[in-house]
Amino acid sequence: MILMQGKGVSTGVERGTIYFYHRADATVVKRAVEDLEAEKLRLTDAQKAAQAQLEVLAEKCREEAGDESAVLFETHAMFVEDEDYVDAIIGVLEEERCNIEYAVEQAGIRFAEMFANMDDAYMQARAADVRDVSRRILNNLMGIVAGGIDSEEAVILAADDLAPSETIQLDKSKILAFATQGGSGNSHTAILARTMGIPAVCGLGENLKPEYAGRMAYIDGETGRLVIEPDELTLTAFKDKHDKQVEMKKLLQSMKGQEDVTLDGKRVNVYCNIGSPDDVAAVLANDGQGVGLFRSEFLYLATDDYPTEEQQFEAYKTVASAMNGKRVIIRTLDIGADKQVDYFQLSKEENPAMGVRAIRICLNRPEVFRTQLRALYRASAYGKVAIMFPMITSVWELKECRRACMSVMQELQEEGVPFNADTEIGIMIETPASVFIADELAQLCDFFSVGTNDLTQYTLACDRQCNDLGKFFDPHHPAVLRALKMAADAAHRNGIWIGICGELGADLTLLPTFLALGMDELSVSPSSVLPLRAEIRKSIAKTCDLKLLEC
Ligand code: PEP
Ligand code: MG
């Protein structure tokens, strides 16, 4: 038995085989080849595989989002055997007498360039499709597994660390739990694990060795323990905990359909944080009363190029319609810091958490912002959509955001496209600056949602990504809690509502403080909804105090 101690960042216990994440090396190397016919046969096989994969994707899309969104994959499937495209590949192969991987890559680049240089915006956008199709064929040729996990069974996924863009692209049905050498509880990968309801342990360091791949292990996302080949005693303890977990889940089911109201009648809206339309199933299964934070940037992280207005519209519409009139707060893209997207081509920064990120990118790139706002307003015709801006630090930023909204609404009006002109506009309170000027900001928006992950980071000058900061990164710090009070008082003074969508919202030990502060909403990962509801229903708001705000 080998015992390792890390940091539990997403609760739950699981048992399974350790699988080490393969970071695919997708670099194509040119090789001289004699047998060109053999290369052509390899191409045919890779094309067939691509078509089978695209058929599955189109079917999945049709079921989840309707015919319109499936069209993209059907178009890709047609492109796989497009005569001109295949001729171009064979042309490179015969001219250069090289491996087929190189020929596919070169033909893909040439075709994508050709589309990108066309005058028509629609045709220009096809360059991304060409790149996508070429990448798919290449992956098949190079044996790169989509979703990163080449296993029939679900596994405990081990890795040095995982970037949010890697986590979002994993096949969730294959993952029992996450175990990483690095990482921190406030990283977006940990947040994603909680959203998916998958146990996770990070910070295992060098103790987590790649040679453990294939060995059976027990992982506990609460205590942060990973045990490889547990002895009988440990296994019995694991089974007990697992049974209790199942029992607890059953017990919490009785909370479904109950109101989020304290014993003395204070209502707190319990909403959910999500990263993709797929997560709505978990929101509904856990009876979340709304979506308090849709991290829209995960749509951008899951693709190799800017998602189009149409793709975004489908995603937002899917969530809005599925929530059936319940509020869905969609945050405009919050790229930057740990959420890096290659095609944005952001400059390398010394301090990316304080660099050109989130709303700063949107205000610097009006076309990217406009595309997202158009998709959001179009989706507002299909449910109760609210729009939220991240990382606001100044009044002028919010005014510019509002101007961008007005201009998009005017465009849609002129085009006769339906949208809800009363769509709520809110901001995230996640910088000390926004706390200090909360009164002025409150006069320009409909709600505040406190991002306690970043608010803690910027208030305490503690990098949320750094696992070594330990007790210095303390979201319970009186300075953070006083910042919450300043924001809550300013919101209520100005007649708007305020919630929390950072990870702190699910911290049951702070619920009395949140009630004393008069928080109107708490947005948490779907698996935290029922435990939070059970606690709210046991609480008496008027007896709650603000003792924790004292030093
Ligand atoms: C936060 O900062 O608390 C927040 C909710 O946003 P994110 O974690 O996505 O930065
Ligand atoms: Mg944030």
Side-chain angles (χ1 to χ4, degrees):
M1 176 167 101
I2 305 164
L3 180 92
M4 275 172 253
Q5 185 65 50
K7 186 171 179 196
V9 294
S10 178
T11 58
V13 291
E14 281 298 346
R15 204 182 112 178
T17 308
I18 301 225
Y19 179 95
F20 254 83
Y21 177 64
H22 297 298
R23 201 159 275 125
D25 179 6
T27 321
V28 174
V29 182
K30 185 179 179 188
R31 280 184 295 109
V33 165
E34 289 291 310
D35 189 352
L36 294 188
E37 288 314 305
E39 294 301 290
K40 285 181 192 168
L41 282 178
R42 289 183 60 221
L43 174 64
T44 311
D45 288 347
Q47 283 173 298
K48 277 189 197 146
Q51 270 170 327
Q53 291 153 356
L54 287 162
E55 247 170 60
V56 173
L57 281 173
E59 194 48 43
K60 187 166 177 268
C61 219
R62 193 171 294 110
E63 275 166 22
E64 289 173 7
D67 283 346
E68 252 176 79
S69 44
V71 167
L72 175 75
F73 297 113
E74 286 163 353
T75 315
H76 281 199
M78 283 194 294
F79 194 78
V80 168
E81 30 169 39
D82 178 87
E83 223 174 282
D84 293 336
Y85 174 63
V86 178
D87 281 352
I89 297 174
I90 302 295
V92 178
L93 179 80
E94 291 178 344
E95 252 168 57
E96 312 240 355
R97 304 193 67 79
C98 60
N99 50 329
I100 194 70
E101 286 87 347
Y102 183 77
V104 171
E105 187 185 54
Q106 290 306 308
I109 293 172
R110 286 175 208 174
F111 259 70
E113 257 171 28
M114 183 185 81
F115 278 112
N117 290 331
M118 289 182 180
D119 287 336
D120 183 78
Y122 176 83
M123 295 312 275
Q124 283 169 3
R126 304 285 66 78
D129 295 332
V130 176
R131 279 196 285 268
D132 212 358
V133 168
S134 297
R135 187 73 256 166
R136 183 173 293 284
I137 297 176
L138 271 177
N139 283 353
N140 291 334
L141 284 166
M142 297 165 83
I144 295 170
V145 184
I149 307 169
D150 187 10
S151 162
E152 290 297 312
E153 284 175 9
V155 293
I156 295 179
L157 189 71
D160 48 358
D161 205 349
L162 288 166
S165 57
E166 289 172 325
T167 313
I168 194 80
Q169 299 194 40
L170 291 168
D171 177 353
K172 295 175 205 168
S173 68
K174 297 261 181 77
I175 306 168
L176 291 172
F178 290 105
T180 57
Q181 293 173 329
S184 92
N186 302 292
S187 68
H188 283 94
T189 299
I191 290 171
L192 277 171
R194 288 192 284 271
T195 304
M196 299 172 197
I198 295 176
V201 173
C202 71
L204 287 159
E206 303 277 287
N207 293 332
L208 179 62
K209 300 184 188 4
E211 59 253 38
Y212 295 149
R215 291 170 76 172
M216 207 276 284
Y218 149 45
I219 187 165
D220 186 334
E222 187 188 9
T223 61
R225 276 205 293 170
L226 176 72
V227 190
I228 295 182
E229 280 150 15
D231 59 18
E232 275 309 308
L233 207 69
T234 316
L235 259 187
T236 315
F238 158 72
K239 278 196 192 114
D240 276 357
K241 194 155 185 182
H242 193 265
D243 290 350
K244 280 202 190 105
Q245 186 177 291
V246 173
E247 199 49 41
M248 187 52 144
K249 273 193 185 150
K250 265 196 220 147
L251 246 166
L252 284 171
Q253 294 306 304
S254 66
M255 283 294 122
K256 283 196 188 165
Q258 307 273 4
E259 288 192 293
D260 299 312
V261 180
T262 62
L263 287 172
D264 55 338
K266 160 81 183 157
R267 176 176 296 279
V268 185
N269 288 326
V270 178
Y271 290 172
C272 292
N273 296 344
I274 63 168
S276 87
D278 290 349
D279 298 331
V280 174
V283 177
L284 298 174
N286 288 283
D287 198 24
Q289 291 307 295
V291 170
L293 170 63
F294 179 173
R295 288 181 163 95
S296 70
E297 59 276 9
F298 287 122
L299 297 179
Y300 293 73
L301 285 168
T303 50
D304 295 333
D305 208 338
Y306 293 96
T308 60
E309 178 184 323
E310 215 49 38
Q311 286 165 336
Q312 292 192 56
F313 165 63
E314 282 301 333
Y316 306 146
K317 178 179 149 193
T318 302
V319 178
S321 322
M323 290 306 293
N324 206 9
K326 289 180 175 162
R327 192 185 266 131
V328 173
I329 302 176
I330 306 176
R331 173 174 78 182
T332 57
L333 76 97
D334 187 8
I335 292 292
D338 65 323
K339 287 175 285 194
Q340 291 293 331
V341 182
D342 289 347
Y343 58 83
F344 268 74
Q345 296 181 335
L346 300 172
S347 315
K348 261 229 145 338
E349 295 171 317
E350 283 290 318
N351 289 305
M354 292 196 271
V356 185
R357 59 169 290 202
I359 202 64
R360 299 170 186 176
I361 295 181
C362 290
L363 295 177
N364 279 351
R365 303 187 187 192
E367 260 318 295
V368 173
F369 199 24
R370 175 174 162 266
T371 303
Q372 180 165 37
L373 288 176
R374 281 184 60 94
L376 286 168
Y377 273 104
R378 284 174 59 196
S380 72
Y382 297 86
K384 192 173 177 184
V385 169
I387 299 175
M388 177 157 77
F389 302 113
M391 279 285 291
I392 294 289
T393 56
S394 306
V395 165
W396 70 262
E397 292 167 346
L398 181 51
K399 284 187 177 162
E400 263 195 43
C401 291
R402 294 198 69 106
R403 262 197 295 276
C405 290
M406 289 302 292
S407 132
V408 159
M409 282 196 280
Q410 202 172 334
E411 265 176 38
L412 294 175
Q413 177 111 41
E414 283 162 15
E415 292 165 23
V417 176
F419 65 93
N420 174 11
D422 295 323
T423 298
E424 281 179 299
I425 289 180
I427 61 162
M428 293 199 65
I429 297 288
E430 46 188 355
T431 61
S434 63
V435 174
F436 298 142
I437 58 167
D439 274 301
E440 286 83 349
L441 292 170
Q443 287 159 29
L444 289 168
C445 63
D446 302 303
F447 65 91
F448 284 164
S449 186
V450 187
T452 49
N453 312 331
D454 277 320
L455 186 61
T456 305
Q457 155 163 273
Y458 297 125
T459 303
L460 303 182
C462 274
D463 181 354
R464 63 189 274 192
Q465 294 293 112
C466 176
N467 202 24
D468 299 333
L469 279 165
K471 61 181 183 232
F472 294 104
F473 188 96
D474 176 18
H476 288 216
H477 194 296
V480 178
L481 301 181
R482 286 185 199 181
L484 285 180
K485 177 160 173 24
M486 287 170 72
D489 290 348
H492 293 145
R493 245 192 323 268
N494 291 284
I496 66 168
W497 63 267
I498 179 165
I500 296 177
C501 63
E503 297 304 291
L504 212 58
D507 185 334
L508 299 183
T509 66
L510 283 183
L511 179 63
T513 307
F514 298 153
L515 290 171
L517 289 172
M519 284 295 159
D520 303 291
E521 176 239 347
L522 295 171
S523 189
V524 297
S525 62
S527 57
S528 297
V529 166
L530 298 176
L532 180 57
R533 178 170 300 160
E535 206 57 33
I536 290 173
R537 294 179 61 79
K538 277 195 281 186
S539 305
I540 303 174
K542 64 172 183 280
T543 62
C544 293
D545 59 39
L546 293 172
K547 267 208 291 282
L548 292 182
L549 272 64
E550 289 160 21
C551 288

